[in-house]
Amino acid sequence: MSSTVKGMDFYLNDADHKFDLTKFAPFKILLVDDDPVFRMTIKAMLKTGYDVKEVDSGEAAIDFLEHDNADLILLDLNMPGISGLQVLQHISQKKKNSEIPVIFLSAADDNEAISSAFQSGAVDYLTKPVKKYELIARVNTHLELRHRQLHLEDMVAERTAELLKANEELESAQTQLLQSEKMASIGQLAAGVAHEINNPVGYVASNLVSLSQYMNDIFSLVEKYEKYESSLDKSALAEIAVIKDDIDLDYLKSDINELLSETSDGISRVREIVLSLKEFSHVGENRWEIANIHEGIDSTLNIVHNEIKYKAVVTKNYGQIEDIQCIPSQLNQVFMNFLVNAAHAIEDNGEINITTSQQGDRVTIQISDNGCGIPKDKQAKIFDPFFTTKPVGKGTGLGLSLSYKIIEKHHGSIDLISEEGKGTTFIISLPVMQPESESEDA
């Protein structure tokens, strides 16, 4: 393949990479020679397609390279003062100039001079007088090699960056997979515990109903006895009065009813937690289905109740929203992460507000707290894997990253509004129905 730059032909035979030197033209060439006539001759040869900068000594060449750069150097071997070999030695010690190709120009054509030039790091050697076609051919060849090298370095740097990024993404994916598996294991354990608790809770609740009925029957019988107390003799009445006084019958009757009522409420609460635990875990149900968002939030609130109850009051502002197509267990995990984070952001007593609404075919869940807020310089990083603002040992930095991936999988979005010292709001937006591809899988 041939490319032309203002009269110069470059022959490129790389089938894999269409390397085009035209984008680098005109090339800056530094010509170093103490003979002004020779410099004028070389400039005339290179007048088309090159930007030739000329200096008349080694010292001037070194000074030029301190402040400027060149694509190639044409260097006289023997000059008064600093020789060409000394200039090349100086160039090789400077990192920014060490890769510039140097072609020596010299009247000396003996093997010793040529050998010294190449050993010093020159890429080529031309004897004076220099022929135009040979000079242009050598200059073009080394310019092409130089820019191919730069191109290759850029490609290597680009591929290295891609590999590093891919490796980071792989590590993140592996860690999140482990986190998901951990959550699944916890879900299985939770479901098993819920099942085991549900059975004794069931018969305790049933026994309480029976006990309450039995106590009512006993109190009815006691009332009948009290009705006919007056017909008993004085000794019997005195004995009954002592027993009543000992057991404080009036208080006992009222307190038993209260105890039964409180116990019944406690059992109902346990059953509610167990049902929420089962609802939250959804073991093995990582499939798309139509689910009620409010039920998912409520079950999650029951699960994280202990994390929140001493820190904040939860206010729910549920709007009229449709059931949506989702993977409920995954969304519950997202709600749990945001609610726990909200509780951790509140130092003493605060508020957590949950608001839902629907606009068109999208549902919005907004979770706000009046906690410490997130500094502006950290807001862009909160969804990055392993990033956390919590103290060491208090968080893995995976909760929000995993939540982001789950919402992304649901074709949704998460927006953040936070002000340091005033609180944070996460706004989750989800489609009511997933795209057709997801619907078919569901």
Side-chain angles (χ1 to χ4, degrees), residues 162-172:
E162 289 175 357
L163 286 171
L164 288 173
K165 183 179 178 182
N167 188 53
E168 287 175 1
E169 290 175 350
L170 180 61
E171 288 182 356
S172 171

Side-chain angles (χ1 to χ4, degrees), residues 28-57:
K28 186 186 290 185
I29 296 177
L30 177 62
L31 173 60
V32 187
D33 198 288
D34 64 317
D35 184 347
V37 175
F38 182 75
R39 293 200 306 271
M40 183 174 63
T41 304
I42 296 297
K43 284 192 72 172
M45 292 179 182
L46 300 174
K47 67 180 180 179
T48 306
Y50 303 97
D51 177 18
V52 179
K53 306 294 184 183
E54 56 178 302
V55 294
D56 59 3
S57 67

